[in-house]
Amino acid sequence: LRLWSTETGQCLSVLTAHTAAVLCHQFVDYGLASAGADGAIKIWDTRTGTCHRTLLGHQDTISCLQFDDNRIITGSFDETVKIWDLRTGNCLKTLSIHNPITSLCFNEAHLVVSSRDRAIKLFDTRTFTQQRSLVGHTDPVQCV
């Protein structure tokens, strides 16, 4: 991963902790979460370039992630979505989706997950129970 100055176009730092391609990331203030083909989630402080935590638990490539103040949610080609406690690094819950995950997004009320089965699944973020499956796409949904 490279961090670039938007003002000067110069590379500010290179973050080297992943052992394979980085496929997804999210950046908020000085916090950065990254994940990818090595199956690891890295939590960074971009001010220092330090990786503060590595979350392990997926068995295949991590294709998507999102975090808020309390949790990070990751989706993987291992056909699972994992909900992690951002403060402790513990995996709180694993959802089995039965198809490789292509994308996800969440807010306080809902988690939306797409996979290669061409469906979009809607979960309640309080209980993580599936509420709906939205079907009708003719190809895998790549982004929600």
Side-chain angles (χ1 to χ4, degrees):
L1 283 170
R2 291 181 181 267
L3 300 180
W4 299 87
S5 168
T6 57
E7 294 174 7
T8 67
Q10 297 297 311
C11 180
L12 301 174
S13 64
V14 178
L15 309 178
T16 56
H18 285 285
T19 59
V22 174
L23 300 178
C24 53
H25 69 280
Q26 182 185 345
F27 179 77
V28 176
D29 297 326
Y30 296 107
L32 172 69
S34 61
D38 61 2
I41 303 117
K42 304 287 185 178
I43 310 298
W44 304 86
D45 181 331
T46 59
R47 294 170 294 191
T48 63
T50 304
C51 178
H52 286 286
R53 178 169 282 141
T54 299
L55 308 178
L56 299 172
H58 283 290
Q59 302 304 309
D60 203 339
T61 297
I62 298 169
S63 55
C64 49
L65 64 79
Q66 184 183 338
F67 69 89
D68 63 14
D69 291 339
N70 302 309
R71 60 191 164 193
I72 183 167
I73 301 181
T74 55
S76 172
F77 292 167
D78 68 5
E79 304 183 355
T80 65
V81 170
K82 292 188 178 289
I83 297 92
W84 307 82
D85 183 307
L86 194 55
R87 290 182 176 93
T88 67
N90 293 330
C91 181
L92 302 173
K93 185 145 187 92
T94 300
L95 306 175
S96 182
I97 305 299
H98 306 295
N99 272 282
I101 311 305
T102 54
S103 67
L104 62 79
C105 66
F106 72 92
N107 61 22
E108 288 186 22
H110 299 101
L111 165 64
V112 181
V113 177
S114 67
S115 63
R116 290 191 186 155
D117 68 354
R118 301 182 305 268
I120 298 171
K121 294 171 180 61
L122 180 67
F123 294 85
D124 180 310
T125 55
R126 291 175 295 277
T127 62
F128 290 102
T129 56
Q130 185 174 332
Q131 296 177 315
R132 285 190 174 64
S133 185
L134 309 173
V135 296
H137 290 278
T138 57
D139 288 307
V141 177
Q142 297 298 323
C143 185
V144 292

